[in-house]
Amino acid sequence: MPAEHSALRIFGWSIAITVVSLVVAYFYGGWSAFALCLILGVLEVSLSFDNAVVNATVLNRMSEFWQRLFLTVGVLIAVFGMRLVFPLLIVGITADLGPVEALRLAMEKGDPHEPGTYGFILNEAHPQIAAFGGMFLLMLFLNFVFEEREITWLSWIERPLARIGKLDMLSVVVAAVALVFAAELAADEPEVVLVSGILGMVTYITVNGLGSLFESAGGGGEDEADEAAPARSGGPTAVAKATGKAAFFLFLYLEVLDASFSFDGVVGAFAITADPIIIALGLGFIGAMFVRSITVYLVRKGTLSEYVYLEHGAHWAIGALAAILLVSIGVHIDEIITGLVGVAFIGAAFLTSVLRNRRNAETEELVHAG
């Protein structure tokens, strides 16, 4: 009963907001808007489960206050910032329109494949968006696989990568080479892709670096050393919780991370509908809220500690998503492929975690029996 009560508390707001969003969608555009809103919500959750797992690894380091802030204030940033304001901003900059004109264009009904429409203009900005998000996620993936870890999942590749990762700034070098190749895929204005990609790298290095700086400055001494050791092994119960400036930059890092994951979903949503209200309701209020609830659930239940390969699978899914975003600069890749790749990595990591736990349990039984 307590477990059910806890789950209801975590997912209660998500369920309530989903119901309200679907009702608003129905009154806004009838059953077709209702169906589109539901489809977008399901699409966002399925595409972003790897996002939730990675978010949980960061959120696990934050105090309960900052976890609640991520679920409340953070979701407002995700809904209004990424799913509504961000597309309007991109269209306004690309088409040289003011905020009011961009909003008016967004509210006009039209084929998103027709030049001059809101969906078409946003799709034209895809190379810059993909370069920024792809480089941010690629840096996250590379810093994960280049770090030496006690537990490895794909040991045949993770261990060699960790050994060569001892070279300073290797992740930056590899990311920069990948960006050059991605810019070559851009038919028009490859220099714009280069600038966007560099901004993505700089954003990751800055936010992640500031978070680490304030996290290390916020503690110290023997207590920090004692608590930091279990944190590296993935156990959520003994992690030193970040507060103050450290937690703020971790919160900021989470928001940028969520934004990077959202790029493909926001742009891909225009293949389903160009209506910004439906996109905000489906991707934002339903999808983003559920992703946050799943994140908090993973933290509170200690799922990442129990299924130790989930974090690895999520980061490999991030690497795949980063590669897909960069390749999509010159080649169209269906959103279904993007979602299936992430689900495949997460599913494989979960299954191998279950098998590992089973083998460990059998070993312990043999030891006790002996």
Side-chain angles (χ1 to χ4, degrees), residues 309-320:
Y309 296 142
L310 271 181
E311 182 180 358
H312 295 259
H315 278 87
W316 280 100
I318 284 175

Side-chain angles (χ1 to χ4, degrees), residues 23-362:
V23 170
V24 171
Y26 172 76
F27 282 105
Y28 174 74
W31 286 111
S32 61
F34 179 95
L36 290 171
C37 183
L38 186 61
I39 289 169
L40 288 173
V42 173
L43 177 68
E44 177 73 1
V45 174
S46 62
L47 288 177
S48 300
F49 189 79
D50 50 352
N51 185 10
V53 176
V54 175
N55 283 352
T57 65
V58 180
L59 199 66
N60 187 43
R61 296 154 57 192
M62 299 164 69
S63 66
E64 189 171 341
F65 167 79
W66 284 94
Q67 290 178 8
R68 288 198 303 269
L69 203 66
F70 174 72
L71 191 60
T72 53
V73 176
V75 80
L76 293 178
I77 297 173
V79 173
F80 294 104
M82 279 308 302
R83 275 73 178 184
L84 189 60
V85 177
F86 172 75
L88 287 171
L89 186 63
I90 292 297
V91 169
I93 294 172
T94 304
D96 195 22
L97 297 174
V100 176
E101 289 80 5
L103 180 60
R104 185 181 299 115
L105 181 65
M107 297 304 297
E108 292 178 359
K109 307 296 182 182
D111 185 355
H113 301 290
E114 182 182 340
T117 61
Y118 180 76
F120 181 85
I121 295 172
L122 186 61
N123 190 62
E124 287 293 292
H126 175 74
Q128 299 95 295
I129 297 170
F132 181 94
M135 294 309 297
F136 185 93
L137 295 178
L138 183 60
M139 288 292 296
L140 173 61
F141 167 71
L142 291 174
N143 278 325
F144 180 84
V145 296
F146 285 154
E147 183 180 338
E148 207 163 10
R149 299 176 185 279
E150 182 181 344
I151 297 175
T152 56
W153 180 42
L154 304 177
S155 301
W156 58 275
I157 187 171
E158 288 184 4
R159 285 175 181 166
L161 287 173
R163 283 196 293 269
I164 66 173
K166 293 178 182 178
L167 292 170
D168 287 340
M169 306 301 290
L170 182 61
S171 59
V172 176
V173 173
V174 173
V177 172
L179 178 58
V180 171
F181 281 109
E184 291 297 319
L185 295 174
D188 302 317
E189 299 182 328
E191 65 278 2
V192 176
V193 171
L194 282 173
V195 172
S196 299
I198 290 171
L199 287 174
M201 293 173 63
V202 170
T203 301
Y204 174 84
I205 293 169
T206 302
V207 177
N208 189 52
L210 287 172
S212 299
L213 172 66
F214 284 106
E215 189 174 7
S216 60
E222 296 179 359
D223 291 339
E224 184 185 6
D226 291 340
E227 289 183 306
R232 285 192 294 272
S233 65
T237 56
V239 176
K241 301 298 184 182
T243 57
K245 291 180 180 178
F248 170 75
F249 280 105
L250 283 175
F251 175 82
L252 186 61
Y253 173 78
L254 273 175
E255 292 304 320
V256 179
L257 180 63
D258 178 74
S260 299
F261 269 99
S262 303
F263 288 148
D264 63 323
V266 171
V267 177
F270 284 88
I272 298 173
T273 177
D275 193 313
I277 303 301
I278 301 300
I279 291 175
L281 289 171
L283 292 187
F285 283 102
I286 298 177
M289 191 66 187
F290 261 103
V291 170
R292 274 161 168 67
S293 293
I294 293 170
T295 299
V296 174
Y297 183 83
L298 292 173
V299 172
R300 303 282 168 82
K301 296 300 178 182
T303 306
L304 299 181
S305 176
E306 184 177 356
Y307 303 101
V308 294
Y309 296 142
L310 271 181
E311 182 180 358
H312 295 259
H315 278 87
W316 280 100
I318 284 175
L321 177 57
I324 288 171
L325 281 172
L326 294 176
V327 171
S328 70
I329 291 173
V331 180
H332 173 72
I333 299 177
D334 196 284
E335 288 74 26
I336 295 176
I337 296 175
T338 306
L340 289 178
V341 168
V343 170
F345 275 112
I346 295 292
F350 176 77
L351 290 175
T352 50
S353 297
V354 171
L355 293 174
R356 177 185 184 272
N357 293 344
R358 191 171 298 169
R359 283 195 303 268
N360 289 346
E362 290 173 355

